[in-house]
Amino acid sequence: MRGLYRLLTRWWTAFALVASLALLGFAHLSETIWDISPCNLCLKAREVYWGAVVVALLATVWHLVSRGSRGTPRIAAFLLAVIFATGTITAVFHMGGELKWWALPATCAAGGSVDLESMTALALGTGPAPRVAMCDAVTWTFLGLSMAGWNALISAALAGFSLLAAKRPKDARAPRS
C-alpha cells in the first residue's frame, strides 16, 4: 500500500493529466454518443478540467525532463488542488441547482451558442431548432447521482489526492542543499 502511495504521489501530475483527459473524454462522449447536451455549468466544469490538463501536462513534462529526480513538482500539485477544488465548488453549485436547493443564475438558461445564421434558419423553417440544455434539469443519473454529483465527488477526490501529492513523503522531495 505504501508503494502505491509513493507511486501515486511521485507521479501525481501524470495521473491527474490522465484523469482530467478521461473525464473530458467522457463528457464529449456523452455529448456525441448519448446525445446529452451540456448546459452552461457543464461547460464551466470542462474549463476547470482543461486548466488541470495544462498544469498537469507542463508539470509532467518537467518531471520527465528532470528525470523524475525531484518527484512531482509540489507547486504543481498545489495548483492542481486549487483547480480541482474550484471544480468541486462549481459542481456542488450545479448539483444544488439541480436539487432545487437554490436558484441558478439566468446565464444557465441555455448551454449551446446561438448565432445569427441558426436563428435565421429557424425563423425561415429551414434549420433545426437549437437544443437548449437547462442547468437545473437532470439529464443523466447513475446510482442516484447526476453528472454534476459525480463531478463533485471526483473533483473532491482529485483535490484531496493533489494535496497528498503536495505533502508527499520526504524521500520524494527535492534534495536539500
Side-chain angles (χ1 to χ4, degrees), residues 91-175:
V92 167
F93 180 71
H94 190 184
M95 186 178 67
E98 288 177 343
L99 295 172
K100 310 294 188 252
W101 291 346
W102 46 73
L104 294 172
T107 57
C108 290
S113 62
V114 180
D115 57 356
L116 185 59
E117 291 176 17
S118 65
M119 292 300 291
T120 305
L122 181 62
L124 296 174
T126 59
R131 295 184 315 192
V132 176
M134 304 297 285
C135 292
D136 60 352
V138 178
T139 57
W140 179 89
T141 60
F142 180 69
L143 298 176
L145 279 177
S146 68
M147 199 174 284
W150 284 106
N151 187 17
L153 288 176
I154 293 169
S155 293
L158 290 172
F161 281 121
S162 295
L163 286 176
L164 285 176
K167 188 190 176 313
R168 63 187 173 278
K170 206 172 200 171
D171 63 344
R173 292 185 188 157

Side-chain angles (χ1 to χ4, degrees), residues 57-75:
L57 180 65
L58 290 174
T60 301
V61 167
W62 172 257
H63 183 73
L64 292 172
V65 167
S66 68
R67 296 187 189 144
S69 62
R70 297 183 176 207
T72 297
R74 296 179 71 157
I75 190 71

